[in-house]
Amino acid sequence: MLLIFGTVPVEGLPLTIGKVEKEGESISINGQLIPRTQGTGTMIGAALATTGYLGLEPPQALVSGDNGQGKGSQQIHEYLIKHIAELSPEVLALHYCLPDMALTRKLCNTVKECPKRPVMIADAASMYAAKAAGLAQEFDIFTPDASEIAFLADAEATHPAYINRHLFNSDITRTPELAAMAYSHNNAARLLLVKGSTDYIIRNGEVVATVMEPNIPELEAIGGTGDTITGMVAAFIYAGLEPHEAAIIAARTNRTAGQLIKATPATRVREIIDVFPEVFRNNLCEWSGVCYTKGDINND
């Protein structure tokens, strides 16, 4: 099971868990419609597009509505803490929530009760909570952007809003330096995919790959294009790829999709997600040696 966890800004959305389906321009989880516009919904939508192309079981999602008050975030944390062992996902991807260090500690402790430890991925506020709680090394993958890698590099900051000024002004070219600082403070997951004008894939402090092409600066202005990368990473790992391979392919796919639809700042992120299957069809075998044929994944 690929399980995706996060809150969505939908008023009145109850705690909902179930298999994800595409319904029109949205996704559906047990009949609850979630827009693919930004955040957790976009991440889920990208993961669904990827698993669908690869012929895999669709993701399961655990979501709740939360407009910043924290109730929905607490609900999904408490549910996952209680049920993680019986759910026993192969891949667990944590996304938007109200950062809560105590609940994050409980969750990481409870994950140890799973029959097999899941691959642990964190983005957005779930990543903030993991770093602030001193639990970054419990995770396999973080997917920060250029400002968030500065947060991970700051040994004292408990939230990106409180980054030391000399780090706050950093640009993407300082990513290797900032990543080294994050690792030196034990504030980084085993693998970092740092998203920006250049995407950096860093494993245990070493840059193993960069992705710069195609260069589509318009993607930077489209909300949710970082969330799509995290969703694809989760799905490709669920498919059996190594984390660094999943990160490279996700970064390439996002850029190539932007190029394919001639993205502008007015492009909606769901339009980008909808061309992922075409990008996979044209490029996945060449990029990875992992070729899709009749619902199977075949390693060439």
Side-chain angles (χ1 to χ4, degrees):
M1 177 197 301
L2 165 56
L3 179 60
I4 299 175
F5 158 108
T7 60
V8 292
V10 175
E11 188 76 28
L13 176 69
L15 185 148
T16 302
I17 184 168
K19 189 177 294 186
V20 181
E21 299 176 338
K22 186 172 181 288
E23 187 165 329
E25 296 180 349
S26 302
I27 54 173
S28 174
I29 308 166
N30 278 346
Q32 298 286 344
L33 292 180
I34 310 293
R36 298 179 299 155
T37 51
Q38 198 168 356
T40 302
T42 297
M43 179 183 174
I44 296 170
L48 178 62
T50 307
T51 57
Y53 177 81
L54 295 173
L56 301 172
E57 281 291 312
Q60 298 269 333
L62 170 60
V63 299
S64 185
D66 197 323
N67 287 319
Q69 300 303 309
K71 182 179 178 181
S73 180
Q74 182 176 350
Q75 286 179 332
I76 58 175
H77 273 99
E78 291 177 347
Y79 184 94
L80 190 57
I81 288 165
K82 183 176 180 180
H83 296 284
I84 185 66
E86 63 190 78
L87 290 168
S88 192
E90 296 169 57
V91 179
L92 175 61
L94 308 178
H95 210 245
Y96 277 89
C97 64
L98 186 70
D100 189 310
M101 289 182 283
L103 288 174
T104 301
R105 289 191 188 98
K106 287 183 180 179
L107 176 58
C108 286
N109 285 333
T110 310
V111 162
K112 297 172 184 176
E113 299 173 9
C114 291
K116 181 181 178 182
R117 179 187 176 278
V119 176
M120 299 274 286
I121 302 169
D123 191 14
S126 289
M127 178 176 63
Y128 308 162
K131 183 264 189 181
L135 295 168
Q137 293 188 310
E138 298 289 326
F139 286 79
D140 298 282
I141 303 172
F142 281 171
T143 55
D145 61 23
S147 63
E148 290 167 337
I149 189 61
F151 162 63
L152 298 179
D154 190 327
E156 304 300 325
T158 57
H159 189 277
Y162 306 128
I163 300 172
N164 188 297
R165 181 176 296 277
H166 82 279
L167 296 174
F168 185 82
N169 292 326
S170 299
D171 61 48
I172 195 68
T173 63
R174 287 191 65 197
T175 290
E177 173 192 352
L178 296 175
M181 293 173 63
Y183 279 105
S184 72
H185 300 310
N186 296 323
N187 287 333
R190 294 173 180 83
L191 186 86
L192 298 175
L193 166 51
V194 186
K195 303 168 288 193
S197 54
T198 297
D199 300 312
Y200 286 84
I201 294 84
I202 302 171
R203 184 172 53 201
N204 296 323
E206 178 186 356
V207 177
V208 295
T210 56
V211 180
M212 295 177 280
E213 299 294 338
N215 181 25
I216 312 294
E218 291 82 2
L219 291 175
E220 298 287 327
I222 301 170
T225 50
D227 305 320
T228 54
I229 290 178
T230 308
M232 284 188 283
V233 168
F236 280 126
I237 291 175
Y238 180 54
L241 272 67
E242 291 296 320
H244 73 281
E245 295 172 328
I248 293 168
I249 294 169
R252 286 177 171 173
T253 299
N254 223 44
R255 291 166 177 268
T256 305
Q259 180 184 54
L260 185 63
I261 65 169
K262 298 180 172 59
T264 73
T267 300
R268 299 180 179 181
V269 71
R270 57 178 161 76
E271 299 174 61
I272 295 172
I273 294 172
D274 287 340
V275 299
F276 285 167
E278 183 174 352
V279 175
F280 298 149
R281 188 163 51 250
N282 294 336
N283 300 282
L284 185 56
C285 185
E286 177 186 350
W287 285 344
S288 66
V290 178
C291 300
Y292 167 77
T293 306
K294 296 181 180 179
D296 296 321
I297 300 173
N298 299 314
N299 291 318
D300 288 354

